């Protein structure tokens, strides 16, 4: 990971990613989509590399929230693809 930019911003994004992949006291994932992504990455990469990938995804989510000015919703990748295809092709999902 690059050391360019604000160290505080990097730390905040890392903390957000760490909290997103953690499990609550009841054992369920706080963000099941990011947790599944992290566990899939951990299957083939070292844990810190997988954590960097999750941090990158969190950063992309933050910028999308700011760009679109919409609240955050957890959606699965399949649901995202369905919405994308419906918007692109002009068909109802």
């Amino acid at each position: 990971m690059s050391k360019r930019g604000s160290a505080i911003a990097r730390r905040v994004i890392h903390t957000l990613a760490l909290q997103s992949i953690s499990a609550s006291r009841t054992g369920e994932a706080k963000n099941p989509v990011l947790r599944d992504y992290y566990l899939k990455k951990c299957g083939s990469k070292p844990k810190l590399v997988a954590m960097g990938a999750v941090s990158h995804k969190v950063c992309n989510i933050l910028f999308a929230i700011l760009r679109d000015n919409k609240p955050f919703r957890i959606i699965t990748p399949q649901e995202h693809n369905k919405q994308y295809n419906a918007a692109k092709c002009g068909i109802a999902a």
Side-chain angles (χ1 to χ4, degrees), residues 41-90:
K41 286 287 182 187
C42 280
S44 61
K45 307 262 184 227
K47 290 189 178 195
L48 283 179
V49 174
M51 192 65 194
V54 172
S55 296
H56 185 76
K57 194 168 275 287
V58 166
C59 188
N60 288 338
I61 290 169
L62 287 174
F63 277 109
I65 289 170
L66 293 173
R67 178 193 65 215
D68 300 338
N69 199 18
K70 292 183 180 177
F72 175 70
R73 288 186 328 127
I74 298 175
I75 61 171
T76 63
Q78 294 82 12
E79 186 179 342
H80 176 77
N81 286 340
K82 187 185 288 186
Q83 290 176 1
Y84 176 77
N85 288 334
K88 186 175 181 181
C89 299

